[in-house]
Amino acid sequence: MDTPDTGTNIISLDSLNTFLSQRDNSENAFYISTIPKMCTEAPCILGIDEAGRGPVLGPMVYGIAFCPIDKNEMLKSFECADSKALTEAKRDEIFSNMCTSTDVIGWAVDIISPNRISNSMLSLKKHSLNEVSKESAIGLIKAVAFAGVVIEHIYVDTLGSQPEKYQAYLLNIFPNYKITVAKKADSLYPIVSAASIFAKVTRDHSLQTWKFSEGFDLNHKDFGSGYPGDPVTKKFLKEYLDPVFGFPQIVRFSWSTASKILESDAYPVEWMETEDENPKSTQSTQITSFFKMDKETKKKHSFFAQMCLTNSTPF
């Protein structure tokens, strides 16, 4: 979890856009709102949900919302619902209304960059998207608790098809809280709906304010929703592929949609593999071994012959 941003007070869409436009898109970002005083004095409910798990473009955003238990009914006055069932304009309206109710409701978002997602999933020690998601949810809970919120009950949208397993996993980490994990929690619990809206609006505006470090002058309409089935997104992936360097950093190159295009349209790369003379050895090959003569054959390493290399000065 990255260091929370404490220098920005997001109370409107304009301030959200300012925050997003100033961040480095290649890195994660974490924001937590001001903490309502009553949330540090009265037992609170927390809701957690994500936005952008499936797209091949842009960040995945985990959101958390919290308020005192006795203010739960007030969430209904905001018309909180599953963010996917609302129009973009309605989500923005609800987001703005909740941001002006800082005496009652607080929130936080963890913006996980496409660059970080790809590196996690493609590293030697692979880190699945589910693991990335779990770490984000846990980090959000810990950050809110550290900020002084009195946590009573946490409601979470499930990961995978077995919510009871995820619930047991979280209870093992947070045994002092009541935790409910459910499918479609964003439709069942208003506090999760609120978290869903904070996450979805943050992701949408992250794409709208995206600045390409590669120098492209594009807006979000030029690359579409980011979902693999979107024709505009497909067109963007084809047109903005560099055959040597690959995709811009907005692309999750660990996605099969992206990797298939790389395989078909990018220049092929042949990786040299050295022969292991002792397969049972656990020691890594030192670079100096390439320059040593074989004592039996009096020849250099086969790498030199394969690459047509000769010495510029005698050894």
Side-chain angles (χ1 to χ4, degrees), residues 14-40:
D14 286 341
S15 54
L16 173 65
N17 288 337
T18 299
F19 167 71
L20 293 171
S21 63
Q22 291 175 345
R23 57 178 285 266
D24 182 352
N25 289 321
S26 67
E27 296 294 334
N28 286 12
F30 180 67
Y31 173 82
I32 186 167
S33 71
T34 54
I35 307 299
K37 188 173 185 295
M38 64 173 64
C39 288
T40 65

Side-chain angles (χ1 to χ4, degrees), residues 29 32 98 113 165-166 179 186 193 209 229 255 276 302 306:
I32 186 167
M98 290 194 294
S113 74
K165 281 192 173 183
Y166 190 26
I179 298 178
D186 49 0
S193 301
T209 59
W255 255 233
D276 190 352
S302 58
Q306 292 169 0

Side-chain angles (χ1 to χ4, degrees), residues 171-198:
L171 281 168
N172 186 56
I173 298 172
F174 302 107
N176 297 325
Y177 305 146
K178 296 177 184 176
I179 298 178
T180 299
V181 177
K183 295 179 181 179
K184 303 294 184 182
D186 49 0
S187 300
L188 298 173
Y189 308 106
I191 195 66
V192 182
S193 301
S196 174
I197 289 169
F198 283 121

Side-chain angles (χ1 to χ4, degrees), residues 137-241:
I138 291 166
L140 282 166
I141 295 170
K142 288 181 176 179
V144 169
F146 182 78
V149 176
V150 182
I151 301 173
E152 175 75 15
H153 201 143
I154 302 172
Y155 297 89
V156 188
D157 201 28
T158 190
L159 275 177
S161 59
Q162 297 179 300
E164 62 277 2
K165 281 192 173 183
Y166 190 26
Q167 181 169 305
Y169 173 82
L170 291 175
L171 281 168
N172 186 56
I173 298 172
F174 302 107
N176 297 325
Y177 305 146
K178 296 177 184 176
I179 298 178
T180 299
V181 177
K183 295 179 181 179
K184 303 294 184 182
D186 49 0
S187 300
L188 298 173
Y189 308 106
I191 195 66
V192 182
S193 301
S196 174
I197 289 169
F198 283 121
K200 178 62 174 170
V201 170
T202 299
R203 175 180 151 79
D204 287 347
H205 284 260
S206 179
L207 291 174
Q208 291 171 22
T209 59
W210 190 277
K211 291 182 179 178
F212 286 86
S213 60
E214 299 82 5
F216 304 133
D217 185 16
L218 300 169
N219 65 51
H220 66 286
K221 294 181 180 178
D222 297 318
F223 49 78
S225 66
Y227 282 90
D230 186 337
V232 179
T233 298
K234 288 182 178 179
K235 184 172 181 287
F236 168 81
L237 290 171
K238 284 281 189 178
E239 290 184 353
Y240 286 87
L241 167 70

Side-chain angles (χ1 to χ4, degrees), residues 7-297:
T8 304
N9 189 18
I10 299 177
I11 56 173
S12 66
L13 289 172
D14 286 341
S15 54
L16 173 65
N17 288 337
T18 299
F19 167 71
L20 293 171
S21 63
Q22 291 175 345
R23 57 178 285 266
D24 182 352
N25 289 321
S26 67
E27 296 294 334
N28 286 12
F30 180 67
Y31 173 82
I32 186 167
S33 71
T34 54
I35 307 299
K37 188 173 185 295
M38 64 173 64
C39 288
T40 65
E41 299 172 344
C44 294
I45 52 172
L46 275 69
I48 300 175
D49 198 12
E50 53 78 23
R53 181 179 173 85
V56 66
L57 302 183
M60 178 171 70
V61 179
Y62 256 80
I64 189 168
F66 50 91
C67 72
I69 293 174
D70 61 4
K71 299 295 182 181
N72 185 37
E73 288 299 312
M74 193 191 76
L75 294 173
K76 294 180 181 178
S77 68
F78 291 127
E79 300 179 80
C80 288
D82 175 7
S83 64
K84 294 183 287 296
L86 302 171
T87 64
E88 181 178 346
K90 190 62 179 179
R91 289 194 298 265
D92 285 354
E93 178 189 332
I94 296 171
F95 174 91
S96 298
N97 289 338
M98 290 194 294
C99 281
T100 58
S101 301
T102 54
D103 59 329
V104 177
I105 188 169
W107 59 286
V109 287
D110 184 21
I111 306 170
I112 308 166
S113 74
N115 189 51
R116 190 76 68 91
I117 291 171
S118 297
N119 289 341
S120 295
M121 295 179 69
L122 295 177
S123 63
L124 290 176
K125 186 178 180 181
K126 297 194 184 304
H127 211 53
S128 71
L129 192 64
N130 276 355
E131 290 302 314
V132 172
S133 298
K134 288 176 183 178
E135 288 177 358
S136 181
I138 291 166
L140 282 166
I141 295 170
K142 288 181 176 179
V144 169
F146 182 78
V149 176
V150 182
I151 301 173
E152 175 75 15
H153 201 143
I154 302 172
Y155 297 89
V156 188
D157 201 28
T158 190
L159 275 177
S161 59
Q162 297 179 300
E164 62 277 2
K165 281 192 173 183
Y166 190 26
Q167 181 169 305
Y169 173 82
L170 291 175
L171 281 168
N172 186 56
I173 298 172
F174 302 107
N176 297 325
Y177 305 146
K178 296 177 184 176
I179 298 178
T180 299
V181 177
K183 295 179 181 179
K184 303 294 184 182
D186 49 0
S187 300
L188 298 173
Y189 308 106
I191 195 66
V192 182
S193 301
S196 174
I197 289 169
F198 283 121
K200 178 62 174 170
V201 170
T202 299
R203 175 180 151 79
D204 287 347
H205 284 260
S206 179
L207 291 174
Q208 291 171 22
T209 59
W210 190 277
K211 291 182 179 178
F212 286 86
S213 60
E214 299 82 5
F216 304 133
D217 185 16
L218 300 169
N219 65 51
H220 66 286
K221 294 181 180 178
D222 297 318
F223 49 78
S225 66
Y227 282 90
D230 186 337
V232 179
T233 298
K234 288 182 178 179
K235 184 172 181 287
F236 168 81
L237 290 171
K238 284 281 189 178
E239 290 184 353
Y240 286 87
L241 167 70
D242 186 290
V244 176
F245 299 106
F247 294 109
Q249 289 192 352
I250 194 173
V251 179
R252 302 179 190 177
F253 48 87
S254 54
W255 255 233
S256 61
T257 305
S259 61
K260 287 177 181 177
I261 294 175
L262 286 172
E263 290 172 5
S264 62
D265 296 357
Y267 294 143
V269 177
E270 182 179 345
W271 299 100
M272 298 300 300
E273 294 184 7
T274 59
E275 295 179 5
D276 190 352
E277 296 179 1
N278 182 10
K280 295 182 180 180
S281 173
T282 57
Q283 294 183 350
S284 58
T285 303
Q286 294 183 345
I287 192 169
T288 52
S289 67
F290 287 92
F291 301 94
K292 293 178 181 179
M293 286 281 192
D294 186 285
K295 292 182 179 179
E296 294 182 2
T297 63

Side-chain angles (χ1 to χ4, degrees), residues 310-315:
T310 58
N311 294 338
S312 59
T313 56
F315 279 94

